[in-house]
Amino acid sequence: MSEATQPRSVRMPFLDWARGIAAAIMLQGHTFHSFSRNDLRQDGPYILSQFMGGIAPAIFLFLTGITFAFSMERSDRQGLSRGQKLISALHRSRYLLLLAVLFRLQLWLFSQPYGSWQALFKVDILNCMALTMFVLSVTAMARLDQRARWCLFIGLGIAAASPLVSAANWDWLHPFVRSYFVPSYDFFSFFPWASFLAFGLSVGSILKMVKQAQMHRVMLWTTVVGFALITGGQYFSNLPYSLYTKSEFWLNSPGLIAVKFGVVLLLLAFAFLWTEHLPGHHWSWIRQLGANSLIVYWVHIELVYGRWFGFWKEGLTAVQCAIFSALLIVLMLGLTWIKGNWSKLKIASLWPSFAGTAPPRRVSAD
């Protein structure tokens, strides 16, 4: 694995496919969470929807870690100094933080005059990504093989420390700062969510170390490790004793992190198999969602949790939520198509005629 002979310019389509699956899971999960009737929230369809929806953030964080690893590897190939590599990695975390701030600001502005200013400081998944990338930027100064090992251990450390962080007394810390670090059902805190991005950094570094011909064997082992993590995480979580004095399985348990990480690895291997040997080489609506996951995430949050469909909030049955989810996916596909074909549509050039004026004449440079 020391011979990095994989073509560097080839985009790995299975990553977009996996990201698209996460987007579809996210869309249905948020739809059920926002629109399901309260008396149906103990039934099987809602519980299954939310369980699946809880996997989507882990997939997004993991894949963000992989692309972050690719960026670091590109800095390695460019021959940058260690300091320049660190600055480049910090710039990416700064970019995500800016997106997170703009995202919260937009949601707050659209919620006026009823929105609370505290919503501006809610820790969303974008905030978690930015903070984790900032912390892990230091690994950009390491060698590729070192980065793969270090990020694996960092991810394990974050997962193992999460129950300890929950058990500690953080009352002395301001709530806005505390929500960035202390596990919570309401926020995407560094503990334990950052572990998935660290694991992605490790896996992304490995993908850049293997030869193209070795990818099938790597994905085979990915499947084996995925099943082992799911089985092991479930087994140790069901033991009658624990190393931790205080731990909640659905909040901060390392066992839950292991199970989710295992599911993510299985999805990654399946996405590779699909795109390599099945009709994944052609256009795919799943890949379409994955390649435009940011705009899909941004717009659907406003539609699902904003005031646009407020008359349906907590008022739909499971079947109605499923139909709404399908329509939402179609709507997001239409949005991504418009985004990709905006320059071809020439909508901007038609605007002057709508306004009753002629379009500006092009002046020759001669």
Side-chain angles (χ1 to χ4, degrees):
M1 293 175 63
S2 61
E3 296 177 322
T5 59
Q6 183 170 310
R8 304 302 180 185
S9 60
V10 177
R11 184 180 179 90
M12 297 184 181
F14 67 94
L15 298 180
D16 283 338
W17 202 91
R19 191 178 288 110
I21 287 292
I25 294 174
M26 171 188 67
L27 291 174
Q28 66 81 29
H30 286 166
T31 296
F32 274 81
H33 182 263
S34 179
F35 296 111
S36 286
R37 285 183 359 212
N38 289 325
D39 60 311
L40 300 177
R41 298 192 176 226
Q42 300 300 322
D43 295 347
Y46 180 83
I47 295 175
L48 178 61
S49 166
Q50 298 310 292
F51 174 77
M52 294 174 58
I55 302 294
I59 300 173
F60 283 126
L61 287 163
F62 177 78
L63 295 175
T64 299
I66 289 182
T67 56
F68 198 29
F70 290 176
S71 173
M72 291 183 180
E73 189 272 342
R74 185 165 56 249
S75 297
D76 294 339
R77 288 186 285 110
Q78 292 173 347
L80 302 181
S81 66
R82 298 177 67 184
Q84 290 173 324
K85 294 177 185 178
L86 176 61
I87 294 300
S88 177
L90 289 174
H91 282 171
R92 292 183 68 86
S93 63
R94 181 186 64 181
Y95 169 73
L96 264 180
L97 180 60
L98 177 61
L99 286 180
V101 172
L102 292 176
F103 176 66
R104 299 310 314 175
L105 179 61
Q106 178 266 311
L107 292 179
W108 178 75
L109 289 175
F110 277 46
S111 67
Q112 295 309 305
Y114 307 105
S116 170
W117 64 270
Q118 286 90 343
L120 290 169
F121 299 93
K122 182 178 180 180
V123 180
D124 202 88
I125 189 172
L126 293 176
N127 303 77
C128 181
M129 288 179 179
L131 175 61
T132 308
M133 291 172 66
F134 177 82
V135 173
L136 297 181
S137 291
V138 66
T139 62
M141 298 187 292
R143 296 195 315 268
L144 191 60
D145 58 328
Q146 291 176 331
R147 191 178 304 136
R149 292 193 299 268
W150 292 0
C151 291
L152 174 62
F153 289 119
I154 290 173
L156 292 174
I158 294 172
S162 295
L164 301 177
V165 175
S166 290
N169 184 3
W170 298 97
D171 292 340
W172 55 274
L173 198 61
H174 193 280
F176 290 160
V177 179
R178 187 165 65 236
S179 59
Y180 270 92
F181 298 98
V182 183
S184 170
Y185 289 110
D186 300 321
F187 307 107
F188 285 92
S189 55
F190 185 87
F191 296 93
W193 288 105
S195 60
F196 294 108
L197 200 148
F199 292 144
L201 250 174
S202 178
V203 172
S205 300
I206 293 174
L207 291 177
K208 284 299 182 179
M209 288 191 292
V210 301
K211 302 177 183 179
Q212 185 67 29
Q214 296 174 319
M215 285 295 292
H216 285 81
R217 181 176 298 179
V218 169
M219 290 302 161
L220 175 61
W221 281 106
T222 298
T223 303
V224 173
V225 173
F227 278 117
L229 285 171
I230 294 173
T231 304
Q234 185 179 18
Y235 173 77
F236 286 105
S237 298
N238 291 329
L239 292 176
Y241 51 86
S242 173
L243 297 174
Y244 303 100
T245 57
K246 180 181 179 181
S247 177
E248 296 181 45
F249 179 78
W250 296 108
L251 177 64
N252 54 29
S253 171
L256 178 61
I257 300 301
V259 171
K260 287 185 177 181
F261 185 30
V263 172
V264 172
L265 291 180
L266 292 181
L267 174 63
L268 190 71
F270 181 78
F272 175 81
L273 176 66
W274 181 272
T275 55
E276 285 291 314
H277 301 288
L278 294 174
H281 291 292
H282 306 293
W283 180 87
S284 168
W285 66 271
I286 296 178
R287 283 184 59 189
Q288 180 79 7
L289 288 177
N292 300 274
S293 57
L294 178 59
I295 189 173
V296 169
Y297 173 76
W298 195 309
V299 174
H300 100 277
I301 288 292
E302 175 62 37
L303 292 178
V304 172
Y305 290 107
R307 64 181 64 179
W308 300 88
F309 300 98
F311 47 87
W312 283 339
K313 294 291 180 64
E314 300 180 354
L316 300 184
T317 64
V319 174
Q320 291 171 332
C321 285
I323 295 174
F324 189 99
S325 299
L327 294 176
L328 183 61
I329 290 176
V330 173
L331 179 62
M332 292 299 101
L333 287 173
L335 176 64
T336 59
W337 183 87
I338 293 175
K339 173 179 174 290
N341 295 273
W342 179 259
S343 60
K344 301 177 182 178
L345 296 176
K346 298 181 180 180
I347 295 178
S349 63
L350 297 177
W351 170 251
S353 62
F354 293 151
T357 59
R361 298 171 59 184
R362 300 184 62 181
V363 180
S364 173
D366 294 336

